[in-house]
């Protein structure tokens, strides 16, 4: 019993900063060992003595003792994060190659980043490899600029692929595979029109071409025309509709951004993506739930050709509440100037998040926190802010910015040389201001001033508003302010070498004001915190005006 008490006392002490509470421990013991009630007096005496001894130990000693006695009771905080992929049952050291295959047709948004980061982190955690590939076998959708944009976005996120492949470089391989399937009688050429095909497939009925002899298929394949497709003969009435004799090649005359007019017969997405997984030796791929029905088909094709099947796991997607993700709508709003571009601050594309001041670390921890469950979730900007704030609190310098400045004279304020920390919590680095009687205050602060109230200029002076808009110096120290003060304000001394600052808010409103001189030392891309205003990223400097994008509070 004594050992049991000690275990719980140690765990309880570690949970509460080194001090265990006997009441909690006895409660726990009785809950788990109902018989203990009979000896409750003895247990209480023992607990009091043991807790006293445990509370005398340092946190390190408590931790070491608990580790020896009952390691399972140690807080499992660190483990939880590492366990994200544990349920997939992959063993450390097992061959693991994961992949992410974007189509080079759009700006990736935070939802796409989930599929990428999940595969990348999964590989990294189990000593595996991560392959990136462009699924670009639809010439009507692939666009030249997106190969580089996607690579650049992923690099910014901290994703470094072990290999990068391009599906359209493998056309000859796709044709070879098609001919193998043809010779073994697994395919047929079909020229039923789209409506008929949809109808037949919907009703689980075979099309007239299904029993085509191999010689005829070979002959027609050689000169496949627009409107003709090559279909895989699986089962016309398969219970999984994606398995009902799916199309694997079709004719698209439009030139391709990489191969020009060399090829006109293109593999469909289903055929291309699973074969590329085989060509790239992808062993495991995590992807979003809309692919769930297709997994059977992808593994079927791999099996048919004797490739080891890729394991696929589908997770739920998440959405950011109120954020537009439909490419068509975004394009329209860019055309009508409602959005400044794909990096508009209202969007959640990676280019937008980057320009607004979100850090890759925050995006990564936010995305991984959404987990790999099958339940769709809707998250808000606030959820993302939380992760970003955690990063920026450590890295973003605090500076003064006075929005819509109002000049105030504080009569009798002494000349001072005040020092303020860039990082008040860690005290890394400081800057100073020379102050006297005149200060610029933010319009918000100015309009809040009330006669008779005591106010404080941060780390500088306390003052009081007197009748008829007179402001009088009161005292210097923060203790006096704490007794009766009603608002602490940031400021810019009138004599200070201030700079013009503009901040673009997510709703496109522009807030103008004065920034302290240290703004001049910033580089475009730096993220800082304007004290009591919010985090902002320096976006451009022109004609002496420093333009920031507002990140969040
Ligand atoms: Zn047909």
């Amino acid at each position: 019993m004594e050992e049991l008490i000690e275990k719980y006392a140690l765990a309880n002490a570690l949970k509460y900063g080194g001090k265990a509470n006997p009441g909690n421990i006895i409660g726990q013991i009785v809950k788990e060992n109902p018989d203990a009630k009979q000896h409750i007096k003895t247990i209480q005496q023992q607990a009091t003595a043991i807790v006293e001894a445990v509370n005398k130990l340092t946190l390190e000693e408590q931790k070491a003792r608990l580790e020896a006695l009952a390691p399972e009771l140690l807080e499992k905080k660190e483990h939880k994060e590492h366990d994200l992929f544990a349920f997939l049952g992959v063993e450390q050291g097992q061959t693991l190659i994961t992949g992410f295959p974007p189509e080079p047709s759009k700006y990736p948004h935070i939802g796409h980043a989930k599929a990428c980061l999940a595969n990348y982190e999964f590989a990294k955690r189990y000593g595996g490899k991560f392959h990136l590939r462009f699924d670009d076998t639809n010439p009507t959708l692939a666009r030249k600029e997106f190969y580089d944009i996607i690579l650049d976005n992923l690099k910014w996120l901290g994703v470094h692929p072990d290999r990068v492949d391009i599906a359209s470089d493998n056309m000859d391989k796709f044709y070879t595979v098609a001919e193998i399937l043809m010779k073994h009688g697994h395919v047929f050429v079909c020229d039923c029109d789209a409506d008929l095909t949809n109808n037949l497939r919907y009703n689980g009925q075979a099309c007239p071409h299904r029993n085509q002899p191999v010689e005829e298929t070979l002959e027609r394949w050689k000169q496949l025309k627009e409107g003709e497709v090559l279909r895989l003969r699986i089962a016309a009435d398969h219970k999984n509709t994606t398995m009902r004799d799916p199309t694997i090649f079709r004719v698209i005359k439009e030139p391709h951004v990489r191969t020009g007019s060399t090829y006109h017969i293109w593999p469909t997405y289903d055929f291309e993506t699973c074969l590329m997984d085989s060509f790239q030796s992808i062993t495991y791929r995590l992807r979003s739930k809309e692919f769930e029905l297709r997994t059977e088909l992808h593994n079927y094709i791999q099996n048919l050709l004797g490739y080891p099947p890729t394991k696929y796991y589908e997770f739920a997607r998440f959405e950011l509440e109120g954020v537009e993700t439909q490419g068509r709508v975004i394009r329209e709003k860019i055309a009508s100037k409602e959005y400044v571009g794909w990096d508009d601050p209202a969007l959640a594309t990676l280019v937008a998040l980057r320009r607004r001041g979100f850090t890759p670390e925050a995006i990564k921890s936010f995305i991984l926190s959404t987990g790999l469950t099958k339940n769709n979730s809707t998250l808000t900007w606030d959820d993302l802010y939380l992760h970003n704030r955690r990063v920026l609190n450590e890295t973003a310098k605090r500076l003064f910015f006075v929005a819509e400045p109002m000049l105030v004279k504080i009569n009798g304020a002494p000349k001072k040389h005040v020092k303020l920390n860039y990082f008040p919590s860690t005290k890394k680095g400081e800057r100073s201001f020379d102050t006297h009687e005149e200060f610029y205050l933010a319009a918000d602060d100015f309009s809040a001033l009330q006669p008779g109230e005591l106010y404080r200029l941060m780390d500088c002076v306390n003052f009081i508003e007197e009748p008829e808009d007179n402001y009088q110096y009161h005292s210097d120290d923060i203790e006096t302010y704490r007794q009766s003060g009603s608002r602490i304000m940031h400021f810019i001394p009138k004599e200070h070498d201030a700079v013009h600052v503009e901040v673009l808010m997510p709703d496109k409103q522009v807030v103008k004001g004065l920034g302290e001189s240290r703004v001049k030392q910033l580089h475009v891309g730096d993220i800082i915190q304007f004290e009591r205003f919010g985090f902002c990223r320096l976006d451009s400097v022109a004609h002496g005006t420093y333009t920031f994008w507002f990140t969040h509070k």
Side-chain angles (χ1 to χ4, degrees):
M1 182 54 74
E2 284 188 0
E3 190 176 306
L4 192 67
I5 296 172
E6 189 181 355
K7 279 190 214 169
Y8 285 140
L10 287 163
N12 190 256
L14 283 167
K15 197 170 167 189
Y16 296 103
K19 300 289 169 226
N21 172 343
N24 288 351
I25 296 155
I26 293 162
Q28 208 169 359
I29 288 170
V30 172
K31 201 168 129 204
E32 286 170 31
N33 313 275
D35 292 348
K37 267 192 182 154
Q38 296 165 14
H39 323 285
I40 196 77
K41 277 256 159 1
T42 328
I43 293 172
Q44 275 168 347
Q45 282 166 6
Q46 287 173 329
T48 310
I50 291 170
V51 164
E52 207 182 305
V54 162
N55 286 353
K56 279 182 186 152
L57 302 175
T58 66
L59 273 174
E60 268 62 46
E61 288 166 337
Q62 288 170 347
K63 206 171 165 188
R65 180 84 184 126
L66 186 60
E67 192 139 34
L69 220 55
E72 72 279 3
L73 291 182
L74 274 173
E75 278 261 354
K76 293 190 187 69
K77 251 188 223 155
E78 295 156 37
H79 292 158
K80 215 174 167 190
E81 202 197 347
H82 291 294
D83 279 347
L84 183 58
F85 305 100
F87 75 99
L88 296 169
V90 168
E91 306 267 323
Q92 199 63 245
Q94 178 182 333
T95 302
L96 178 68
I97 303 174
T98 68
F100 174 60
E103 182 178 58
S105 62
K106 47 186 169 293
Y107 282 91
H109 60 67
I110 195 164
H112 303 125
K114 178 170 177 178
C116 179
L117 281 171
N119 283 291
Y120 184 61
E121 289 299 313
F122 182 30
K124 267 197 359 194
R125 250 169 239 191
Y126 289 87
K129 301 259 187 250
F130 170 80
H131 293 174
L132 178 72
R133 134 177 127 241
F134 290 102
D135 273 355
D136 65 343
T137 56
N138 185 343
T140 55
L141 295 174
R143 289 287 166 270
K144 199 166 192 292
E145 64 269 30
F146 289 111
Y147 295 83
D148 286 339
I149 288 170
I150 291 170
L151 280 176
D152 178 65
N153 281 198
L154 298 185
K155 189 175 160 198
W156 174 72
L157 265 188
V159 172
H160 308 287
D162 293 292
R163 178 171 146 184
V164 179
D165 280 296
I166 296 179
S168 64
D169 288 354
N170 295 268
M171 291 302 284
D172 295 338
K173 270 183 163 170
F174 290 128
Y175 291 159
T176 305
V177 166
E179 274 152 33
I180 294 170
L181 292 175
M182 224 169 289
K183 284 175 187 151
H184 287 86
H186 291 304
V187 293
F188 58 95
V189 171
C190 163
D191 61 14
C192 295
D193 71 47
D195 283 346
L196 176 61
T197 304
N198 285 342
N199 254 321
L200 292 173
R201 291 192 72 199
Y202 180 80
N203 293 312
Q205 291 167 333
C207 96
H209 307 97
R210 193 165 201 275
N211 294 321
Q212 196 171 68
V214 173
E215 300 72 40
E216 188 187 332
T217 309
L218 279 165
E219 202 53 42
R220 292 183 68 170
W221 162 255
K222 279 182 201 150
Q223 47 220 329
L224 206 67
K225 296 182 204 66
E226 238 167 326
E228 293 182 326
V229 297
L230 191 66
R231 293 175 65 181
L232 199 54
R233 188 183 286 120
I234 303 177
D237 57 353
H238 201 285
K239 64 181 192 314
N240 178 348
T241 51
T242 61
M243 297 284 281
R244 294 182 181 173
D245 296 351
T247 297
I248 56 171
F249 279 92
R250 76 281 205 218
V251 175
I252 300 175
K253 291 278 179 174
E254 198 170 319
H256 187 274
V257 286
R258 288 178 55 85
T259 60
S261 298
T262 315
Y263 306 103
H264 291 306
I265 304 172
W266 291 95
T268 56
Y269 174 77
D270 283 320
F271 194 65
E272 170 272 319
T273 204
C274 64
L275 283 181
M276 282 307 298
D277 282 344
S278 294
F279 298 163
Q280 284 192 304
S281 311
I282 306 266
T283 61
Y284 220 130
R285 186 136 79 78
L286 312 177
R287 54 186 183 181
S288 54
K289 232 170 53 175
E290 75 257 31
F291 293 103
E292 229 160 21
L293 277 179
R294 322 205 79 84
T295 291
E296 187 177 7
L297 172 59
H298 296 171
N299 283 155
Y300 180 92
I301 294 170
Q302 293 176 322
N303 267 321
L304 203 56
L305 288 155
Y307 292 116
T310 301
K311 270 195 129 176
Y312 296 105
Y313 171 80
E314 295 84 15
F315 55 78
R317 299 207 294 188
F318 70 88
E319 277 176 40
L320 268 185
E321 199 174 57
V323 177
E324 187 55 66
T325 52
Q326 284 195 56
R328 182 185 54 79
V329 179
I330 295 173
R331 267 187 291 275
E332 281 168 15
K333 291 191 173 182
I334 292 172
S336 68
K337 305 260 191 273
E338 192 176 327
Y339 290 154
V340 298
W342 286 91
D343 52 5
D344 189 275
L347 295 174
T349 54
L350 295 179
V351 282
L353 296 174
R354 179 181 186 174
R355 190 164 183 192
R356 207 176 131 181
F358 289 92
T359 59
E361 298 90 323
I363 292 173
K364 186 170 133 185
S365 74
F366 168 72
I367 285 175
L368 296 180
S369 78
T370 65
L372 293 174
T373 66
K374 299 265 184 192
N375 306 319
N376 286 335
S377 54
T378 301
L379 298 158
T380 65
W381 281 112
D382 284 337
D383 298 310
L384 180 55
Y385 296 166
L386 196 79
H387 290 263
N388 205 42
R389 211 174 279 130
R390 216 175 277 155
V391 176
L392 293 180
N393 273 334
E394 303 291 316
T395 57
K397 271 184 186 172
R398 294 196 192 189
L399 296 172
F400 278 179
F401 162 63
V402 170
E404 300 163 60
M406 304 292 288
L407 189 64
V408 167
K409 185 171 186 220
I410 299 174
N411 297 313
K415 279 194 174 176
K416 292 190 75 172
H417 181 75
V418 297
K419 289 182 176 169
L420 286 103
N421 285 295
Y422 283 123
F423 300 93
S425 56
T426 58
K427 311 263 187 276
K428 299 184 283 196
E430 57 181 19
R431 82 272 195 205
S432 61
F433 290 97
D434 289 311
T435 69
H436 191 204
E437 286 185 316
E438 291 183 283
F439 298 89
Y440 288 107
L441 303 185
D444 271 359
D445 286 335
F446 180 80
S447 58
L449 295 173
Q450 297 286 339
E453 297 284 316
L454 180 70
Y455 299 101
R456 178 167 180 77
L457 297 184
M458 201 177 280
D459 289 0
C460 188
V461 295
N462 303 323
F463 70 98
I464 204 150
E465 176 170 350
E466 295 188 326
E468 290 167 25
D469 292 342
N470 267 315
Y471 305 95
Q472 185 62 44
Y473 167 74
H474 182 278
S475 49
D476 281 348
D477 60 309
I478 186 135
E479 282 71 28
T480 308
Y481 166 80
R482 278 194 187 124
Q483 283 161 25
S484 62
S486 50
R487 194 172 174 112
I488 292 188
M489 304 170 179
H490 58 284
F491 60 87
I492 297 224
K494 190 190 171 204
E495 301 78 8
H496 185 76
D497 182 21
V499 296
H500 287 283
V501 166
E502 295 190 359
V503 182
L504 176 75
M505 307 302 286
D507 63 2
K508 310 296 182 309
Q509 196 199 326
V510 175
V511 179
K512 296 181 180 184
L514 293 174
E516 63 172 89
S517 63
R518 266 65 60 155
V519 165
K520 284 189 239 171
Q521 296 160 10
L522 300 176
H523 300 107
V524 168
D526 283 352
I527 305 164
I528 47 88
Q529 182 179 10
F530 281 136
E531 196 88 59
R532 300 178 63 240
F533 182 79
F535 294 101
C536 296
R537 177 187 161 282
L538 180 59
D539 192 69
S540 66
V541 186
H543 313 297
T545 297
Y546 290 74
T547 301
F548 289 82
W549 281 33
F550 187 75
T551 312
H552 50 74
K553 273 273 178 199

